[in-house]
């Protein structure tokens, strides 16, 4: 695999993973806003949303890297 192709795959993985992490973090924040209205600590929910967003982004990044590898069965 060429260096330019490898760099492009990593940039694509970071972009897609970051976008999916951001969307999942915003959706989780939207779903947990009700809990913060009912008296829960706001920093705890914000940190939880950020952690979930980073985790989802990392998983999507690893999936993109995994899917970019060629399969020996198909070749």
């Amino acid at each position: 695999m060429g260096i330019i192709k490898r760099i492009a795959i990593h940039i694509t993985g970071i972009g897609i993973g970051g976008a999916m992490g951001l969307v999942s973090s915003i959706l989780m924040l939207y779903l947990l806003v009700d809990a913060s209205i009912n008296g829960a600590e706001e920093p705890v929910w914000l940190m939880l949303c950020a952690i979930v967003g980073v985790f989802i982004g990392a998983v999507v990044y690893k999936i993109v890297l995994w899917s970019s590898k060629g399969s020996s069965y198909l070749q």
Side-chain angles (χ1 to χ4, degrees):
M1 181 182 313
I3 187 77
I4 295 184
K5 185 177 180 183
R6 186 174 300 181
I7 290 171
I9 288 171
H10 283 282
I11 290 173
T12 302
I14 290 171
I16 293 172
M20 292 298 292
L22 180 67
V23 167
S24 66
S25 179
I26 290 172
L27 287 176
M28 186 168 181
L29 182 63
Y30 178 73
L31 292 175
L32 295 176
V33 132
D34 204 25
S36 67
I37 290 174
N38 292 329
E41 297 285 330
E42 288 182 21
V44 173
W45 291 117
L46 291 176
M47 287 191 304
L48 182 65
C49 292
I51 289 170
V52 167
V54 167
F55 179 75
I56 297 293
V59 168
V60 171
Y61 176 71
K62 292 300 278 185
I63 289 172
V64 168
L65 290 183
W66 172 75
S67 67
S68 69
K69 292 182 180 180
S71 175
S72 61
Y73 296 115
L74 297 177
Q75 294 176 356

